[in-house]
Structure formats: structure tokens, C-alpha cells
Amino acid sequence: MNKLEELGWDYSVQDIEKQMIARVITVQKNSFRISDGNLEFIAHLSGKFLNEAIDSFDFPAVGDWVEVQKLSGERKAVIKRVLPRKSQFVRQAAGVKTEAQLVAANIDTVFIVNSMNNDLSIRRIERYILSTYESGATPVVVLTKKDECSLDKVTEIISQVEKVAIGVPIVAISSVTRDGIRDLLEFLPPKRTGALLGSSGVGKSTLVNVLLGKDVQHTKDVREDDSKGRHTTTYREMFLLPNGALLIDTPGMRELQLWEGESAIESTFQDVGLLVEGCRFIDCQHDTEPGCSIKEAIEAGKLSEDRFHSYIKLQRELAYEKRKQDQKAQLVEKNRWKRVFKDQKSKYKKRNIR
């Protein structure tokens, strides 16, 4: 088997010489660590790449396949372009700017990691499932710290998660006792790529250490007063597991602001979508209208108000983000034409001076 295949490469996807292909293992600011399956290289972007890049999506992310030029005699390389992605997990970048942040690319499975303590958030799990479906990857919910809960508590938490993670596999594990680790590995077959996503302190880095069989990721205990974690992983990195699977560890995300998800919201809220279809009126606002399936389901205890309100909230958030993105796109286009006009004006002046 070719070494590139061990990194997850599929020759049916691209027609390019294998000597020029590498996968991004780590991203740290403007420096990239890449691998061709045999050797690792420190890489930087070519001047042409930087000149042609328009937005954050154009730049390499962990998991990306890239076309490179290896520098002979050195463990360095130049990244010439990013090859088309089969999936990409994107979120709204932290801060006030309307800007996308590409978390990881070419992922087969997103492991949505939550700990079974006071920091467990059903609403957060909904957001991650929505973003995972939108990314093109398959979601799996991983509930950690099973050893800290009674059997009844574990059963109760899984039941809560099942109500929002419809059709999504749920695996409860303990990195201390190794309970559930074998079940988790069933979702990490050789040559497939998974990514661990979740808040700080939920046990992502500890889980990486367990799956690797050695301590490679620094870990810290959570605060006892609120079960919230401290940041340990500071950058995204991909590891090759002993069974041949690839796993990306990511820094904790306290909030997951949505960037896109219109096409995935119905997959995430299948239960709500079916009820909406059952309403008597097509434009039902689920308020005072007669024959509203949503109201009937809530009154009958078949649908929680929290679940429905989350559905409405996420729809509004996506609509709001879409408007902001459209406004930004218009501004970017306007500024681009200003630069073009300014350059043309400058060239015209130079010709007249001559």
C-alpha cells in the first residue's frame, strides 16, 4: 500500500503526480507541517498562492491535501495550491468581524465530545450536529467521564442526548477505565479521518493520549466549581493512530457560532420538520393557529418547548449570519472595483506623463 493511502488519500479524487502530494498535519499561524506518508516537512505558502488567495477558505487547514514543491536536500516545502476538499467544518470566527474559520478539512467523522458533568449542554450538541451535517462529515456524539457517573446517571444522560441526536450514534466512554474505547474505535477504521470537537476540559486531549497509547497531548483538570475546562490544546493537529486511522485534535470551543447550515437544519431537527409538515396551514406560525402539529406535540409531551425554541433560534441565527455575509460580500466586491479603478487611473496617468 502506498504511504499516501495510509494518510487517507483516494486516487479516484485527483489526477496528480503522487510526488507532489502531501497532507497538512499541523497549522500554526503561517507555518505548516505536512506529510507525504514517508517524511514530514515544514512548509510555507508560495508567493503566487498568497497573491491569489481571496479569503480564509483559500488557505490550508489541518486535513487538507496540498500540491507542494519539495526543496531538495531539505525537510522543507512550498505549498502551491490546496486540492479540492470533500468536507470542511466551518464556524463563525470569534469576535465581532463577519469571518469564517475553517476548523478542519477532509474529515469523514466528527466526534462531538461532551463530558457527563455540569458542563453538559444539549443545546450545544444540537449546534455541533447541525454544523457537522453541513460540513459533509458524519456526526458521532462521544460522552466522556463515564467513570464519574452512576449507571442510572449515564442512562439518563444518553436518553436526553438521544432526543436531539436523532439517528446519530452515541458512545459513552471513560478514558480512565477505558470503558467504551473499543466501541469508539469502530467509528475510526484505518485510512479514515476523524476530528474531535467540543469545549475545553471535556477530555479530547486525554482521549487522544489513550487512543495513541502514549502521552502526546498536555492535559489539565477541570475547575471543580463549574466543571468548565481550561484550554490545553492550542492548535489543530492530526495524529496517526495505531490501528491506521487518522484523528484531528482541536482547541476547545466554548461557543460554536454558526457560519452556515440552511441545508442541514432539517436533518438535525427531523422530528420538528415532520411536525411542521403536519400543520394545517402552510404558513403556520405555531402560535395561535388551529390545527398546529407543533402545539399539539408540545401539549402531549412529544416535543419539548426547549427543543422547538432551539429550532427557531438557530433558524433566525442562520438568517442573520446570511445577511451579514451578503453585506460583507457586497463590500468586498465594492472595494475590489475601487482598487481596479485606482490601478487603471494610475496607469493612465503614467502613460500621459510619458
Side-chain angles (χ1 to χ4, degrees):
M1 181 172 60
N2 188 278
K3 290 293 184 179
L4 279 175
E5 291 180 353
E6 293 181 4
L7 293 178
W9 176 254
D10 182 356
Y11 284 94
S12 66
V13 178
Q14 294 289 325
D15 181 19
I16 186 174
E17 292 183 20
K18 63 182 181 181
Q19 294 86 354
M20 302 179 68
I21 303 169
R23 197 168 192 193
V24 179
I25 306 299
T26 306
V27 177
Q28 286 182 284
K29 294 184 178 180
N30 298 321
S31 177
F32 304 86
R33 185 156 57 91
I34 63 173
S35 173
D36 63 2
N38 293 301
L39 296 172
E40 291 186 0
F41 302 80
I42 299 299
H44 65 271
L45 303 174
S46 70
K48 183 180 179 183
F49 188 112
L50 290 169
N51 288 332
E52 294 180 352
I54 298 173
D55 55 37
S56 59
F57 287 105
D58 294 330
F59 289 88
V62 171
D64 263 326
W65 292 100
V66 289
E67 180 183 345
V68 301
Q69 179 182 352
K70 299 170 188 175
L71 304 180
S72 59
E74 300 182 56
R75 294 282 287 274
K76 296 180 180 179
V78 177
I79 296 175
K80 300 172 70 176
R81 69 183 177 107
V82 175
L83 301 182
R85 300 168 176 132
K86 68 177 182 180
S87 65
Q88 54 183 27
F89 191 98
V90 183
R91 71 163 182 166
Q92 160 72 29
V96 296
K97 286 186 177 181
T98 303
E99 188 173 302
Q101 182 182 55
L102 180 54
V103 178
N106 299 310
I107 316 165
D108 297 296
T109 306
V110 169
F111 295 96
I112 303 165
V113 188
N114 271 251
S115 55
M116 290 187 281
N117 55 25
N118 295 333
D119 195 39
L120 177 71
S121 171
I122 299 299
R123 303 282 80 87
R124 190 186 302 140
I125 290 174
E126 286 176 336
R127 284 175 172 268
Y128 275 100
I129 291 174
L130 175 61
S131 292
T132 300
Y133 279 135
E134 188 69 26
S135 77
T138 301
V140 173
V141 176
V142 180
L143 301 173
T144 62
K145 307 188 180 181
K146 186 178 181 180
D147 56 289
E148 299 179 11
C149 303
S150 66
L151 181 58
D152 288 344
K153 185 66 174 177
V154 172
T155 303
E156 179 190 342
I157 290 173
I158 291 176
S159 178
Q160 291 177 30
V161 176
E162 283 177 337
K163 292 177 181 177
V164 300
I166 300 170
V168 177
I170 302 169
V171 184
I173 68 164
S174 167
S175 293
V176 175
T177 66
R178 307 300 194 264
D179 187 11
I181 296 298
R182 184 174 295 180
D183 295 331
L184 181 64
L185 283 171
E186 291 183 9
F187 299 98
L188 276 168
K191 299 188 290 182
R192 305 290 279 180
T193 302
L196 300 176
L197 298 177
S199 302
S200 300
V202 296
K204 298 189 302 297
S205 296
T206 302
L207 180 55
V208 170
N209 291 338
V210 169
L211 293 173
L212 283 171
K214 56 184 177 180
D215 291 343
V216 295
Q217 294 292 76
H218 182 57
T219 61
K220 288 182 180 179
D221 294 330
V222 299
R223 297 193 299 260
E224 292 185 4
D225 56 345
D226 58 5
S227 297
K228 295 186 185 299
R230 302 173 176 89
H231 287 286
T232 51
T233 303
T234 56
Y235 54 87
R236 302 170 187 88
E237 184 169 8
M238 186 164 66
F239 299 93
L240 179 63
L241 301 183
N243 73 337
L246 298 123
L247 187 62
I248 297 172
D249 190 15
T250 64
M253 293 184 284
R254 173 56 51 191
E255 295 293 336
L256 177 65
Q257 290 183 277
L258 301 178
W259 178 256
E260 53 192 1
E262 295 92 339
S263 63
I265 196 162
E266 297 307 325
S267 298
T268 308
F269 290 87
Q270 299 171 39
D271 53 338
V272 181
L274 287 172
L275 289 170
V276 169
E277 290 178 6
C279 289
R280 183 184 300 176
F281 302 106
I282 296 176
D283 59 347
C284 183
Q285 299 300 305
H286 319 298
D287 188 13
T288 59
E289 294 88 349
C292 175
S293 295
I294 292 292
K295 288 194 302 179
E296 292 173 0
I298 291 174
E299 290 170 1
K302 296 179 181 179
L303 176 69
S304 72
E305 285 194 53
D306 287 344
R307 171 78 166 163
F308 178 62
H309 290 158
S310 177
Y311 172 73
I312 297 299
K313 179 182 177 182
L314 291 175
Q315 280 190 321
R316 288 173 177 168
E317 183 176 331
L318 286 167
Y320 174 67
E321 289 298 331
K322 181 66 175 176
R323 287 195 299 272
K324 286 202 303 179
Q325 291 168 30
D326 289 344
Q327 289 170 359
K328 182 183 178 182
Q330 291 172 9
L331 182 61
V332 169
E333 184 68 6
K334 183 179 179 180
N335 289 336
R336 186 177 76 85
W337 281 108
K338 278 185 177 179
R339 288 196 299 271
V340 170
F341 178 75
K342 186 176 180 180
D343 290 343
Q344 292 296 326
K345 189 176 181 180
S346 176
K347 290 176 182 178
Y348 177 78
K349 285 182 177 180
K350 286 180 180 179
R351 285 198 299 269
N352 285 344
I353 290 173
R354 291 175 186 170

